[in-house]
Amino acid sequence: MGLASRVGSYEHIQSSASDTWTITHNLNTDTPVVDCWVDVSGSNTKIMPETVVATSVNVVTVTFSIAYAGRALVV
């Protein structure tokens, strides 16, 4: 599935801090785009993960160098 044919998005909420977020998005794509956001001193801040791996067409695993709680938008 190419980028131009994507439809839909999924918002993941990671309520407990972890250095690995396993996100089941059910978007049927092996090339998800993932934006991760965390609270840094009261400001919503986009952070870059160490890796983003599409473990299937419906699951992505995001890893960080330290544990975070926050949100991820998958499209």
Side-chain angles (χ1 to χ4, degrees):
M1 174 178 287
L3 291 175
S5 62
R6 288 197 181 166
V7 176
S9 64
Y10 174 77
E11 183 180 26
H12 171 78
I13 299 173
Q14 183 69 39
S15 56
S16 59
S18 178
D19 62 356
T20 302
W21 297 3
T22 301
I23 303 170
T24 302
H25 53 76
N26 294 320
L27 295 174
N28 196 33
T29 180
D30 61 358
T31 56
V33 177
V34 181
D35 282 337
C36 300
W37 296 84
V38 299
D39 183 297
V40 176
S41 300
S43 296
N44 204 22
T45 304
K46 183 176 178 178
I47 59 170
M48 302 304 292
E50 292 288 316
T51 62
V52 177
V53 177
T55 52
S56 78
V57 296
N58 292 312
V59 178
V60 64
T61 302
V62 179
T63 58
F64 303 97
S65 59
I66 62 172
Y68 288 104
R71 297 175 184 255
L73 178 63
V74 183
V75 294

